[in-house]
Amino acid sequence: MTNHDTRQDGARRVGQVKEVTSLANPIVKDIKALSQKKARDEAGTFLAEGLKLIIDALDLGWTIRTLIYSKAAKGKPLVEQVAARTVAAGGLVLEVSEKVMGSIVRRDNPQMVAGVFDQRWKPLKDVSLKAGETWVALDRVRDPGNLGTIIRTADAAGASGVMLVDECTDPYSMETVRATMGSMFNIPLVRTTSQAFREWKKSSGVQLVATHLAGAVDYRKIDYARAPVVLLMGNEQSGLPEDLAKAADRLARIPQQGRADSLNLAIATGIMLFEARRHLLVLDEAR
Ligand code: SAM
């Protein structure tokens, strides 16, 4: 590779790789702005960190816009492969100093590789559950860590997707993306309103199991194999609103002991997911 371009903005082009050492570089500024929801919404992109995660995303067909790696990763075969795949997909490859990488991912000990990907949203009208499928619907989830944990758990339980009902925390924030540990690339996301969700439910043929602290049904007594299941979970502070609770076929409760008023939302979702899919989950003893 030959150097053929040196600029005032702290960027130098080496072959198809751009070397950037300046925090003031405009591309770096645009990537850093992705820590803000407004910039993510405008660009329709988001930032994800970690080599394995980026390889998984590319394998699953996600579109990479920019690959960023720190100098220490230069020459590593897997990084070179990912860089070649990024260029082949029409993306940009940036080689940056550790200082620039740390400021992009907002960490002191940053991962060596990060990527900017296009966001993906599945339209609700395209969601049609088949036998054995389970989706999670979250009413106004607020906490990014909860949402990331739920997406990761949904993936681990073999669920088919997560719906975000009304104003939810952004699944493409750095905190949520980190908490998903890569599962977000495997779990379709839908955003919708309460009204559209309730309308969709009427013709969907799904069994809507809503979890509620006042639920009368023990969550272990439901026949989850009867029809495809959507598990509806309430907001962390206020629980499920009445209109959503009324749309449910069953109002399920997880029995509790002790002094806690309720379970953490992500924990309750995990318990429900593994119960709803218990008949479908088998231990692969050969692993
Ligand atoms: N103060 C809220 C309320 O009154 O509903 C607590 C909400 S709780 C932290 C968040 C969500 O987790 C609930 O809306 C429900 O979906 C689920 N959840 C937590 N504990 C549960 C339990 N024991 N049984 C059923 N659902 C539960």
Side-chain angles (χ1 to χ4, degrees):
M1 285 185 188
T2 50
N3 302 347
H4 55 81
D5 183 13
T6 303
R7 300 185 184 186
Q8 300 302 310
D9 59 4
R12 191 167 69 107
R13 195 177 275 280
V14 182
Q16 287 168 313
V17 179
K18 218 170 197 263
E19 283 183 17
V20 181
T21 49
S22 166
L23 291 173
N25 177 278
I27 303 174
V28 170
K29 280 187 167 175
D30 284 351
I31 297 172
K32 283 179 65 176
L34 295 177
S35 63
Q36 307 298 317
K37 184 172 185 306
K38 188 167 176 281
R40 287 194 299 275
D41 286 348
E42 278 169 14
T45 58
F46 68 104
L47 190 67
E49 303 154 71
L51 180 60
K52 179 184 177 299
L53 193 142
I54 289 169
I55 293 171
D56 286 351
L58 292 175
D59 288 348
L60 288 165
W62 285 66
T63 304
I64 189 162
R65 295 285 164 198
T66 309
L67 177 78
I68 309 122
Y69 65 80
S70 57
K71 281 194 177 357
K74 188 178 182 168
K76 291 191 186 294
L78 285 177
V79 176
E80 296 279 317
Q81 277 172 29
V82 170
R85 289 175 78 176
T86 303
V87 171
L92 181 68
V93 180
L94 299 183
E95 182 183 308
V96 301
S97 60
E98 198 166 322
K99 185 182 68 175
V100 170
M101 186 61 122
S103 92
I104 285 175
V105 300
R106 301 166 150 252
R107 280 202 214 235
D108 284 343
N109 289 312
Q111 300 248 16
M112 288 192 295
V113 185
V116 176
F117 290 89
D118 280 355
Q119 295 184 11
R120 270 191 197 174
W121 296 98
K122 190 176 173 88
L124 181 61
K125 65 174 176 45
D126 293 349
V127 179
S128 159
L129 276 70
K130 294 189 235 13
E133 283 199 43
T134 313
W135 276 67
V136 175
L138 300 170
D139 152 52
R140 297 164 300 145
V141 56
R142 280 279 175 275
D143 184 83
N146 272 346
L147 177 55
T149 304
I150 289 169
I151 292 171
R152 179 181 178 183
T153 310
D155 184 26
S160 303
V162 171
M163 297 180 189
L164 303 172
V165 182
D166 282 346
E167 195 59 42
C168 289
T169 191
D170 183 7
Y172 291 112
S173 71
M174 281 167 83
E175 202 180 340
T176 298
V177 171
R178 261 178 206 148
T180 71
M181 299 290 287
S183 285
M184 57 166 317
F185 291 113
N186 199 37
I187 287 289
L189 297 172
V190 165
R191 53 183 165 187
T192 184
T193 61
S194 168
Q195 194 186 350
F197 174 76
R198 285 180 279 122
E199 280 303 315
W200 170 84
K201 192 263 158 190
K202 284 182 200 160
S203 57
S204 64
V206 304
Q207 179 177 197
L208 183 59
V209 178
T211 53
H212 205 291
L213 298 185
V217 186
D218 183 321
Y219 78 114
R220 294 164 296 189
K221 299 273 161 62
I222 294 170
D223 177 5
Y224 295 98
R226 185 175 65 75
V229 174
V230 176
L231 297 171
L232 176 58
M233 311 298 299
N235 166 268
E236 290 99 329
Q237 274 77 44
S238 53
L240 272 187
E242 209 164 307
D243 49 4
L244 278 174
K246 272 196 184 140
D249 300 300
R250 312 301 291 271
L251 277 190
R253 182 151 48 107
I254 305 166
Q256 293 183 209
Q257 292 187 337
R259 287 177 56 82
D261 290 338
S262 63
L263 293 161
N264 160 277
L265 170 64
I267 299 282
T269 309
I271 292 172
M272 291 302 298
L273 270 167
F274 277 86
E275 181 61 20
R277 298 191 56 77
R278 189 153 61 99
H279 60 294
L280 298 164
L281 292 165
V282 283
L283 199 60
D284 178 1
E285 285 171 2
R287 265 175 111 177

